[in-house]
């Protein structure tokens, strides 16, 4: 069984601060996806990283896929209250062909 | 309409009731999924349908019964549920489940409370 460990589970910061969320596994994935979920809504796909060492930027969000394709990180620069939500990483492929393995999520709260 | 739509958004049911959750996708995808999201637990995959055929049942109790009449519609029939089944039930779709890089598009979920 493939597992994805996300850390931290909870993050409470002030507006303007930077933060990093980590997603780690002992398994290799073909790709890794990051989702953001707001209360009462379903997860929304933010990005997919496919190549080991790949870095993708989405405005103030930077996503990185580890060289060995076992881990990923999400870095947010100058966080804003609108960034508040649950961030989920999900691994695709590996031994779970055609399925997504989700981490337990990081609840981010950005205070004005 | 676009995306994945789930109805109802909220459902309260007694343990002896029978109800159904509905999911519809307008993305032209061929794979559809049911997930359960409980507090403090990772998303749990329940069922997978690929081209209308059920390809995965993750040891889900028989009180949950899925139905996929076509590639655009997915139902989850509920009967004699337990209070611990209360959760957010999410439907998702993807192009198909044959690829190595499955990207899922989720509905808004149905918040189910069993009393």
């Amino acid at each position: 069984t493939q597992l994805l460990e996300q850390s931290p589970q909870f993050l409470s910061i002030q507006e303007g601060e930077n933060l990093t969320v980590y997603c780690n596994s002992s398994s290799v994935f073909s790709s890794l996806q990051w989702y953001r979920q707001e209360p009462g809504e379903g997860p929304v796909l933010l990005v997919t990283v496919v190549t080991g060492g790949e870095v993708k930027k989405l405005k103030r969000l930077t996503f990185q896929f580890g060289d060995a394709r076992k881990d990923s990180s999400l870095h947010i620069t100058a966080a804003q209250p609108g960034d508040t939500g649950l961030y989920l990483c999900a691994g695709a492929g590996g031994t779970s062909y055609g399925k997504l393995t989700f981490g337990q999520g990081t609840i981010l709260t950005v205070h004005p | 309409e676009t995306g994945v739509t789930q109805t109802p958004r909220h459902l309260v049911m007694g343990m002896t009731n029978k109800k159904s959750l509905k999911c519809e996708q307008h993305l032209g995808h061929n794979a559809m999924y049911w997930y359960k999201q409980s507090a403090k637990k990772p998303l749990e995959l329940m069922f997978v349908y690929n081209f209308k055929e059920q390809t995965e049942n993750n040891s889900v109790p028989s009180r949950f019964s899925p139905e996929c009449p076509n590639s655009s519609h997915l139902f989850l029939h509920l009967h004699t549920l337990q209070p611990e089944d209360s959760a957010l039930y999410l439907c998702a779709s993807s192009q198909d489940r044959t690829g190595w890089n499955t990207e899922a598009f989720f509905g808004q979920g149905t918040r189910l409370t069993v009393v």
Side-chain angles (χ1 to χ4, degrees), chain A residues 9-10 30-31 33 35 37 40-45 47-50 86 88 92-100 102-105, chain B residues 9-10 33 35 37 40-45 48 56 58 88 90 94 96-109 111:
Chain A
Q9 275 192 274
F10 301 94
S30 303
S31 69
Q33 298 159 29
Y35 293 80
Q37 184 177 15
E41 304 290 331
V44 175
L45 179 66
V47 78
T48 301
V49 284
V50 178
L86 172 67
L88 294 160
T95 58
S96 296
Y97 183 73
K99 282 168 51 174
L100 286 175
F102 279 88
Q104 67 268 56
Chain B
R9 293 291 308 276
H10 301 272
Y33 310 78
Y35 283 88
Q37 188 175 37
K40 301 180 182 178
K41 282 187 178 180
L43 274 169
E44 298 173 63
L45 179 64
V48 181
E56 188 128 1
N58 261 7
L88 182 68
L90 290 162
S94 66
D96 60 57
R97 67 150 302 188
T98 59
W100 285 104
N101 300 317
T102 309
E103 290 181 343
F105 293 81
F106 286 85
Q108 294 168 304
R111 172 65 64 187

Side-chain angles (χ1 to χ4, degrees), chain A residues 34-78:
Chain A
W34 286 92
Y35 293 80
R36 179 167 165 263
Q37 184 177 15
E38 297 190 26
E41 304 290 331
V44 175
L45 179 66
L46 295 174
V47 78
T48 301
V49 284
V50 178
T51 308
E54 181 177 4
V55 176
K56 277 192 175 177
K57 290 194 174 184
L58 195 66
K59 295 184 182 178
R60 293 175 294 101
L61 279 58
T62 302
F63 304 86
Q64 185 161 9
F65 202 11
D67 291 340
R69 289 187 287 125
K70 293 182 179 181
D71 54 85
S72 181
S73 64
L74 157 61
H75 183 79
I76 301 180
T77 305

Side-chain angles (χ1 to χ4, degrees), chain A residues 18-34:
Chain A
N18 301 332
L19 65 112
T20 302
V21 177
Y22 299 93
C23 185
N24 295 298
S25 177
S26 57
S27 303
V28 175
F29 291 99
S30 303
S31 69
L32 210 132
Q33 298 159 29
W34 286 92

